[in-house]
Every structure is written in structure tokens, then in C-alpha cells.
Amino acid sequence: MSARNGVWRAVDERLGLSDFAYSVPRHANSLPYSLGGITAIGFLVLIVSGILLSQYYHPMPQFANDSVRAMMQGVRFERIVRGVHYWAAQVVLLTVLLHMIRIFTTGAFKKPREANWIIGVGLLAVTVGLFFSGTVLKWDQEGFEALEHNTAIGELLGGLGHWFAHAFAENVSLLLRLYIAHVSILPGILVLLLAAHFWLVKRHGISQRPGRPVGEMLPFTTHLKHLARYGLVLLGIILVLGVLLPPAVGPAPVEGIEVTKPPWPFLPLFAFENWVGVPGLFWASVGLFILLLLIPFVDRSPEAPPAARRARLASGFILLLALVGLGLLAWLTPGAVHVGG
Amino acid sequence: MKRHLRWVAAGILAAGLVGLAAGGALAHKGKLPEDALTLVRQAAALLAQNPGMTGEVRERLQAALKSKKPAGVHLDQVAEALRALDKKDIGTARRLLLAAIMPAGMPMPPEGPGRPAAQMPAPPESAAAAPDRPPAAQPSPPSVDETMRMGEPLRARFTGSAAEVLVAALGLALIGAGVLSLWSGREAGRS
């Protein structure tokens, strides 16, 4: 027995690492089936860059915007770290959405995986929450207007929206509470949901490709190695984007004006808000999440092949196209005053 | 014929949607604040961030000139800014607006929606209050130029510094290594 094998056996005896060598189908290594793992790697990049950013960020309203501007003008790595964090957030949200589209298309949410789909929708909600709170933390006009919308929705909800009211904690600014949500509450929920998500993936196994045999099986550790390869590409892309296209930051906010449009994930909702005001923004978001939660209960047939689910797939893609269309519409139409103003 | 009708219906629907969205731009206007200082601050911010919104700016400046609460604002400079705006001289208008409110001090960001502007905490009375720093010198008020600069978005660009080049090169190397590794392990992804 070589020294290397000896060390491995000693470590494995104590940590049980060989338990990770359980079987997964070979197709788990294909890009569409690796999107969930790629997203998890993206979250790791976000956590590391977020910890670094928190060393330079000041979460008090009178200093927040200045601290971000100082990062952007810094001579060290702060600007690059902020660029990496920003682009990692964009990429993660995109891969989460692509992952969900893959699950929907291949019918991987069907029995017995309904609970994992619901956890996945919860993960999407937390990811959107992290994206939103990150936008507010810049404390520029865009961030401030985002918070104004949230406060307006909080008022709409009455007692349920109390957390977003200043009365909740008179002596602690909403920005500081949102910062705490961004760096501890939401990541905590994310980790719990991710743990449940991974556990259920292991319990039910990686879903079969619809209409095709399972094929050859590989150890999960081989899948992890393959994910690490995708992770290298992902990290490389984020680093290059973070350096070449660093995100801008607006000036310190002024209350009572509305000059910005929301970031791209919220643009489709902005169109609803343009039509019916803040209630439109709220009800459209609620409706969208309810639709997502209902998918496994509406599409209950055991057939997963796309050919057997044409109507349901078509409905899903029409909804997706409508959201993209609404987003484009909101992007092209002039900005509007919805709150404050 | 039926096909044409479908296209016409789709066109009408699309035009309707655009019309609704564009109409929404004017649909939810709120009330303007009463004090001239807030109105001028808002007008200056609008000019800095969206110079196309001159209608909104004009509306605020006219309201400021008629305001019953003009404290902290040089209204003659506001009137001059309005004239500069008529001549489409946005830069001068902004400069005049900031000069008009500078006596009220540097604008501070609000604490949150519906909350007053944040208060700058008083500097520590002695070095003991902030043991890791020497006593702070009283900061001098910023100039109009500085205020103008701070009121504009900060757009970062690739500067070609050693750190940026290093990180970009590292990123490209990671992409290359990852793609090569995926290529050499492509059999693992096939079935």
C-alpha cells in the first residue's frame, strides 16, 4: 500500500469521504444537468467575495454610498472584488432560472420530486431576495427607489409588512436591517434550503432523461470533478467580467424622485407596475410564485417526455416569453413615477 | 386571410400593451413637497441622473419659486437656473441649483423612505472616544464642483492597472484550463 493510499484510508476511516462515491447516471455530467451544481459554485463565489466586500462597506445611510464609491476608486482590489460580486450575482440568477427551465422541460419535478421543486422555488425566492437587498445596499438612487417600492409594498400588506416599516425598530435604520438580512438572515435560509435540496437530490437520485434509458452509472465523485471543471470556466468568466465591465454606482439618493428603472430580473414586474401601480408589482410577483408552486400539482401525469406534454410545455414557454416581452417593453418605455414623487 | 387577421390582432395587442405601459409613465404622479429646499435638491438630482426629465425639473423649480417655505435657498439663483434650463444649458442650471442650496449644507442621503435626511454624527470630543484615530480636524464644506461630482453616477472602467491585468489574465487562464479540462473529460459527459 502506497503512502498516499494509506493517508486516504486513514482520512476516509475518520470522515467517511468514500460515502460520496455513490452512483449517479453519466448524463448528470452534461451541461443542462450540471446547472444546479454550477449555481452552487456561483453561490460560493458570492459568499467569498461578499465576505471581502463587507470589510469595506459601511451600512449606515449617511456613509453607505460613500463607502461604495470609495471601493470603486480604491487602489487595491476592492473594485475588482465588487465587480466579481456583482457579476457572480447576475450569473447565479441566470443559472438558477436556466436550471428551473431544465427541470420544467424534462419533467424532473414529477413524483416523487414535488417537495424538491417547492424547495427550489423557495431557493429562487431567497436568491431574488439577495439580489434585491444587494441592489439596495449601494444606497444610490436605484437602490433607494427599490427600497421605496418595498416599503410601499410593506404598507400595502399592513401588519404582514411591518418588518419593512421604520416603526419596527425606530433606532435602527432600514438599510442596516436590510444589510443584516443580506449577510446573515437570507444566507442562513439559503444554506438550510440548499442542504434540504441536496439531501432530496441524493435521496431520489438524479432524474432520468425523459424517454431514454438510465445508461451507465458513475461515482458521484467523478461528477464533482466534472462540476469543478465547469466551476473553473464560471470563475474565469466572472473574473474577466468583473475586471473589464465593473458595475457603476449612482450618487447618494434623493427622496421624492423616481428616475431609475429596476435591474433586469424585476423589469417584467415594472411593466405591471406601470399599468396598475405598486399593487400590480406585488400581485404579479405573488401570482408568479404561486404559478411556480402549483406546477407539480397541475402537471401530475407520469409521462415526462416533452412529446407527451406538449400543451403544458407550450403554456410554460408562452408565460416565459410573455415575461421576457414585458421586460423588454419596460426597458424600452420611459421611466415612471410610482412611489414617493 | 385568417393569417392576416391574426397578425393584425397581434399588432393591435402589442400596440395596446406599449400604449398602456407608456401611459403608465404619467399614471401615478404624486404630490410635490412644499419646501423649496427639498424641491431644489430633487431638481438638481433629476438633472444629474436623467437630464431628459426637464419637465419634472421645471415643475419643481417653479414650485420652489412659489413656495411658502423658502428657507435655505437662494431663490434668485433658482430663477437663473430656470433661465439656463430654457437655454438647454443643463450644466449651468445644475451648478446654479447646487449653489442655491449650499448655504443649507451638503445634501445628506435620507435615512430611508419617508424619513428625514441622515444626520452626520458629531466628531468625537476627544481621542479617547475613538482610540484608533487621532482627533479629527473639522472638515471644510465641499465646493460646488465637488458636490456636482458627487451628484453624478460613478462609472468605473478598465484602467489597465497591474492588479486588473493580473486578475483578467487569471480569469482567462481559468477559462482556458476549464475548457481544456472539459474537452479532455468530455467522455465523462457523454452517454
Side-chain angles (χ1 to χ4, degrees), chain A residues 101-119:
Chain A
I101 291 171
R102 199 281 292 167
I103 303 282
F104 175 72
T105 314
T106 57
F109 55 83
K110 288 172 179 280
K111 190 182 171 185
R113 298 185 175 86
E114 299 98 323
N116 218 8
W117 169 264
I118 292 168
I119 290 173

Side-chain angles (χ1 to χ4, degrees), chain A residues 24-27 213-218, chain B residues 187 190-191:
Chain A
V24 295
R26 185 186 278 269
H27 70 257
V214 178
E216 194 191 338
M217 302 297 276
L218 297 169
Chain B
E187 278 306 312
R190 241 181 236 166
S191 58

Side-chain angles (χ1 to χ4, degrees), chain A residues 8-308:
Chain A
W8 164 248
R9 279 188 60 161
V11 172
D12 185 40
E13 198 179 343
R14 283 153 185 87
L15 299 179
L17 295 178
S18 56
D19 287 359
F20 284 100
Y22 61 88
S23 295
V24 295
R26 185 186 278 269
H27 70 257
N29 282 345
S30 63
L31 181 60
Y33 280 79
S34 297
L35 285 166
I38 291 172
T39 305
I41 295 170
F43 275 125
L44 282 180
V45 176
L46 279 171
I47 289 169
V48 173
S49 56
I51 289 171
L52 290 172
L53 276 185
S54 68
Q55 309 304 308
Y56 302 101
Y57 179 70
H58 201 316
M60 295 295 283
Q62 59 270 49
F63 304 117
N65 184 262
D66 273 351
S67 70
V68 178
R69 288 172 88 89
M71 277 180 218
M72 300 307 289
Q73 291 163 323
V75 288
R76 286 169 295 176
F77 281 85
E78 301 102 290
R79 184 164 72 157
I80 297 170
V81 174
R82 182 168 180 255
V84 167
H85 196 70
Y86 170 86
W87 281 108
Q90 314 293 322
V91 169
V92 160
L93 200 51
L94 193 67
T95 54
V96 166
L97 294 175
L98 290 174
H99 178 54
M100 290 187 85
I101 291 171
R102 199 281 292 167
I103 303 282
F104 175 72
T105 314
T106 57
F109 55 83
K110 288 172 179 280
K111 190 182 171 185
R113 298 185 175 86
E114 299 98 323
N116 218 8
W117 169 264
I118 292 168
I119 290 173
V121 174
L123 280 166
L124 172 70
V126 174
T127 309
V128 170
L130 283 162
F131 196 99
F132 169 79
S133 49
T135 303
V136 174
L137 293 187
K138 296 181 291 171
W139 210 236
D140 58 1
Q141 196 63 38
E142 183 189 51
F144 188 78
E145 287 176 16
L147 186 62
E148 277 186 317
H149 280 77
N150 213 283
T151 313
I153 289 176
E155 282 165 13
L156 196 74
L157 289 174
L160 286 175
H162 186 51
W163 193 82
F164 286 101
H166 295 286
F168 182 86
E170 274 292 338
N171 297 320
V172 183
S173 72
L174 201 45
L175 177 65
L176 182 56
R177 283 195 282 129
L178 215 63
Y179 173 69
I180 291 165
H182 187 78
V183 301
S184 68
I185 301 172
L186 289 172
I189 298 171
L190 184 88
V191 168
L192 287 177
L193 288 177
L194 274 178
H197 199 61
F198 291 152
W199 182 71
L200 283 177
V201 168
K202 183 172 185 297
R203 182 176 169 82
H204 299 307
I206 304 231
S207 62
Q208 242 178 284
R209 283 174 304 173
R212 295 173 75 170
V214 178
E216 194 191 338
M217 302 297 276
L218 297 169
F220 179 66
T221 42
T222 308
H223 177 53
L224 283 182
K225 277 183 208 158
H226 210 71
L227 274 184
R229 292 172 181 140
Y230 285 121
L232 284 181
V233 178
L234 180 83
L235 184 60
I237 291 171
I238 290 171
L239 285 179
V240 170
L241 285 172
V243 170
L244 296 185
L245 297 170
V249 60
V254 170
E255 193 173 9
I257 57 172
E258 202 169 333
V259 285
T260 66
K261 286 185 189 175
W264 66 269
F266 304 105
L267 274 176
L269 301 173
F270 183 75
F272 283 103
E273 198 191 5
N274 268 351
W275 293 333
V276 282
V278 174
L281 178 68
F282 173 69
W283 289 113
S285 322
V286 170
L288 206 58
F289 272 95
I290 288 178
L291 270 180
L292 286 173
L293 288 171
L294 283 179
I295 284 176
F297 305 103
V298 173
D299 187 356
R300 295 181 59 166
S301 66
E303 313 91 52

